[in-house]
Amino acid sequence: MGNAKNTIKPIPSEGWRDRNRQCGHEGTAPRFPSSFIRQSADKSAKPLAADREIRHSAVSSTPPDFPLATIAEALTAAIHYQRSRQFASALALTRQILSIIPDHSEALYLSALSIRDGGDPVGGYRRLRLSLAARPDFPEAWVHLAATFRSGGQPATALAAYDRALRLTPESIEAGNGMANLLVAMGRSGEALTLWRRLAASHPERADIANAVGNALQGLGKWASADAAYRRALAAEPAYAAAWANRGAALRSLERAPPASESSPAEHGALDLALLCQRLALRVVPFFAAAHDGLGQSWLRLGRTGDALPHHR
């Protein structure tokens, strides 16, 4: 890669993904869309000056597995550190990027997440503001700013930030989910349902969004429509334990027999189908508390206290 001064040591073969699985953090880190680095291509492609190289921080025992010859590669390494919860290492790299390009919005954003997740929410908030000052049309930064406002007890301000993110990326699941959940917390379930339905139309493959639609419908007492939404979620992801448990709860509230068919005879009422759904949820996740509770409640509704008791212990 040219000048040897711009290289760092290789990473061990286990990699950050394996560490995420071992620590139980897989999927919990913020998403970085494929356009994340490309959006500032002119800045990110800038080669490092001989006297301003990116060096690996000594705080991590697992340096990246590629040389850092450009800002983009340094940012990629920092993203890997952030996802593997090595916040000090991610912050060290982003600080070096910012020493070269002080208004690099992606580096400011990533450093904000590292500062926040490293235990300094106020510092993370300030850095998010700097990121948005450098790039006002940065949807991911607006989403995290909204979450910061919500956790700080400012729901109206958080709602405005989520709205800004959705205006920039109308099909964003992260922004839409965040805003819909906030609307529910504010007692505006009808608006949340409208938003989740819009997301479901844009992302029919996302079982979690269909499940959210079902939950919103249940909250509004629309049991049959909720059941239909859960069935869509399960069609997309058959081993979705939460959707099975939620469908069981909706059927238990529905209290009517499903249409007759060979696989669902008329004598099998809604409670029988609810029992089946809860059992299927427990087959996927045996210690799923909500499914145990739902199964126990269904047995109680059928007058079978003895069968219900093991699920309420």
Side-chain angles (χ1 to χ4, degrees):
M1 297 290 293
N3 192 333
K5 292 176 67 179
N6 292 336
T7 63
I8 56 179
K9 297 178 181 179
I11 195 169
S13 59
E14 34 141 24
W16 61 272
R17 288 185 184 277
D18 293 331
R19 286 196 303 278
N20 273 355
R21 293 191 183 99
Q22 292 165 7
C23 298
H25 297 302
E26 186 79 29
T28 61
R31 298 186 180 187
F32 298 93
S34 58
S35 60
F36 183 79
I37 295 174
R38 293 199 307 272
Q39 286 167 336
S40 60
D42 291 341
K43 293 179 179 179
S44 295
K46 178 180 178 180
L48 302 178
D51 60 340
R52 301 300 296 278
E53 66 211 58
I54 298 289
R55 295 182 181 275
H56 170 245
S57 171
V59 299
S60 172
S61 61
T62 54
D65 60 350
F66 42 78
L68 300 182
T70 68
I71 299 290
E73 289 169 335
L75 192 64
T76 299
I79 289 172
H80 287 187
Y81 281 138
Q82 173 68 23
R83 285 173 166 166
S84 61
R85 302 183 67 81
Q86 297 184 66
F87 306 128
S89 294
L91 186 58
L93 280 174
T94 54
R95 279 175 173 165
Q96 291 182 72
I97 295 171
L98 292 169
S99 72
I100 300 168
I101 306 176
D103 64 343
H104 194 292
S105 59
E106 284 78 7
L108 286 165
Y109 166 74
L110 186 56
S111 67
L113 302 189
S114 298
I115 291 169
R116 180 199 66 190
D117 296 342
D120 182 4
V122 175
Y125 163 78
R126 290 171 178 163
R127 191 61 62 92
L128 274 175
R129 282 294 195 187
L130 290 175
S131 175
L132 286 166
R135 182 182 153 204
D137 62 340
F138 197 160
E140 292 81 15
W142 282 110
V143 168
H144 282 276
L145 188 65
T148 300
F149 283 132
R150 183 179 180 182
S151 64
Q154 301 180 60
T157 309
L159 204 62
Y162 279 129
D163 183 67
R164 181 70 177 268
L166 282 172
R167 288 178 186 276
L168 293 167
T169 52
E171 296 182 2
S172 167
I173 289 175
E174 192 175 12
N177 249 339
M179 185 171 184
N181 281 312
L182 178 56
L183 285 167
V184 170
M186 296 172 71
R188 297 161 62 176
S189 297
E191 294 172 69
L193 175 58
T194 298
L195 180 50
W196 268 317
R197 278 177 162 162
R198 192 181 81 194
L199 287 175
S202 300
H203 303 278
E205 78 287 354
R206 288 293 296 259
D208 56 334
I209 301 301
N211 182 66
V213 171
N215 290 345
L217 288 164
Q218 268 213 84
L220 295 170
K222 299 181 179 180
W223 316 117
S225 297
D227 178 45
Y230 294 132
R231 282 188 274 116
R232 289 193 295 273
L234 291 164
E237 189 177 330
Y240 193 175
W244 281 117
N246 290 334
R247 188 185 178 205
L251 288 165
R252 192 170 60 250
S253 300
L254 191 58
E255 298 188 49
R256 67 171 177 78
S261 69
E262 290 183 2
S263 61
S264 178
E267 63 267 22
H268 286 187
L271 282 177
D272 297 283
L273 192 52
L275 285 169
L276 175 61
C277 289
Q278 304 294 356
R279 284 169 167 165
L280 288 170
L282 290 171
R283 182 178 296 178
V284 179
V285 183
F287 300 103
F288 191 5
H292 276 290
D293 181 67
L295 189 55
Q297 289 189 44
S298 295
W299 283 128
L300 286 174
R301 293 281 289 277
L302 290 168
R304 295 172 60 172
T305 305
D307 289 317
L309 283 176
H311 301 285
H312 287 299
R313 289 176 181 172

